[in-house]
Amino acid sequence: MKERNASLESLLEQNNAKLAEVITANRKFISIIGHDLRGPFSSILGALEMLKEGLEEYSIREIERYIDIASNSANKTLSLLDNLLAWNTLQNIDKNYNPVRLNLNELIDEEIEFQGIRASQKEIVVYSSIDPDLMVVADIQMIRSVVRNLISNAIKFSDTESEITVSASVKSQFVELQVEDSGVGISAEDQQKLFNSGIRHSTPGTRKEQGTGLGLIICKEFVEIHGGSITIESEPGAGSRFKITLPHHK
């Protein structure tokens, strides 16, 4: 009887710990929604209201400035919504992880096209040199989120009229995917913060684009679920190279 009671108490403690984790995650989720969504929407509404009131008086430069404010805020909101959906996936990983045979080249091409408008606004060209037949084993939505975040970040921190290169190579049982830019780079100190779930680190882009601080944390979680890893090579002023590994499907 004592052993049974001890076993039940241990099970109860485990369940209470899991419940506490869920409550903490939900509170964090609600806090992010309440704080981070309010800011971009306020900026969008404020910029549109200013345009509405002074459209006939503003110069082209002033109109462009308010449009840029609204555009940057809308992009931040979209990025945040994408990452919040990804965050929700992480809270139900047992049900949401569905790895399949996936053509990596096709997925990369789709994401480059998705980011096309943002890249063209900064006159940035995104190249892919991936083998058309390269296959990986991955959950489509998770890896789509990872790739989207990496390309989005590369655009965010790249200068006007620059290039971003996406490439991949087979390393034993894994495929190593690289997203490389020639942008502002990241200091060694800031690199330590990028994948820390306890720190939401965000730096404005080359056009003052704002981030959420969630993207790379989610990338790390998703890649590790696949048994892979994510690393960065970067120096201030010398661009960045992000690498992730995924299971190779021969």
Side-chain angles (χ1 to χ4, degrees):
M1 184 64 72
K2 289 183 179 180
E3 291 180 359
R4 184 176 181 183
N5 287 339
S7 177
L8 289 173
E9 288 177 3
S10 175
L11 182 60
L12 181 60
E13 289 178 0
Q14 292 176 17
N15 288 336
N16 285 339
K18 290 181 180 179
L19 180 59
E21 289 179 3
V22 171
I23 291 173
T24 300
N26 285 339
R27 284 176 178 171
K28 189 173 184 179
F29 189 80
I30 292 170
S31 174
I32 292 169
I33 292 175
H35 180 271
D36 287 17
L37 278 181
R38 185 177 182 84
F41 275 119
S42 295
S43 296
I44 293 170
L45 292 172
L48 293 177
E49 192 64 29
M50 293 296 291
L51 281 173
K52 180 181 177 181
E53 292 178 358
L55 188 59
E56 295 180 357
E57 302 174 2
Y58 289 151
S59 66
I60 294 298
R61 180 171 295 181
E62 289 174 315
I63 291 173
E64 288 178 343
R65 183 168 73 87
Y66 286 116
I67 290 174
D68 282 342
I69 291 172
S71 177
N72 287 337
S73 296
N75 280 324
K76 180 181 178 181
T77 304
L78 178 60
S79 176
L80 178 60
L81 288 173
D82 281 342
N83 286 329
L84 286 174
L85 290 172
W87 182 273
N88 185 59
T89 298
L90 281 172
Q91 308 313 308
N92 300 279
I93 199 65
D94 291 339
K95 296 180 180 179
N96 294 323
Y97 179 51
N98 299 297
V100 297
R101 183 173 180 267
L102 176 65
N103 186 300
L104 186 60
N105 177 65
E106 291 179 0
L107 184 142
I108 296 298
D109 284 347
E110 289 172 2
E111 290 308 308
I112 290 175
E113 183 178 358
F114 179 82
Q115 301 281 355
I117 293 178
R118 287 192 61 216
S120 64
Q121 286 174 337
K122 298 177 76 171
E123 299 180 63
I124 293 171
V125 179
V126 185
Y127 291 104
S128 172
S129 59
I130 296 177
D131 184 338
D133 298 319
L134 185 57
M135 308 297 291
V136 296
V137 178
D139 180 283
I140 296 176
Q141 297 307 319
M142 289 185 187
I143 297 309
R144 187 180 298 281
S145 177
V146 171
V147 171
R148 184 168 297 179
N149 271 294
L150 294 181
I151 295 177
S152 177
N153 277 352
I155 294 171
K156 176 181 174 182
F157 293 108
S158 289
D159 294 315
T160 301
E161 298 182 354
S162 59
E163 297 178 357
I164 295 168
T165 303
V166 184
S167 60
S169 57
V170 178
K171 305 284 186 180
S172 185
Q173 298 181 356
F174 286 85
V175 169
E176 182 181 81
L177 174 69
Q178 293 189 149
V179 178
E180 183 175 5
D181 65 68
S182 56
V184 298
I186 307 169
S187 68
E189 180 182 356
D190 284 342
Q191 288 180 40
Q192 300 300 317
K193 304 174 184 176
L194 294 179
F195 306 113
N196 189 334
S197 59
I199 302 174
R200 289 185 60 203
H201 176 74
S202 180
T203 304
T206 54
R207 285 193 176 178
K208 309 301 181 185
E209 304 100 318
Q210 297 297 315
T212 65
L214 286 173
L216 290 176
I217 295 172
I218 290 172
C219 287
K220 181 176 183 292
E221 295 282 353
F222 280 169
V223 170
E224 289 181 350
I225 286 168
H226 287 77
S229 62
I230 181 168
T231 57
I232 176 175
E233 298 174 2
S234 183
E235 292 182 11
S240 300
R241 181 187 295 112
F242 282 86
K243 299 180 181 180
I244 67 169
T245 54
L246 298 169
H248 180 216
H249 191 290
K250 298 180 181 180

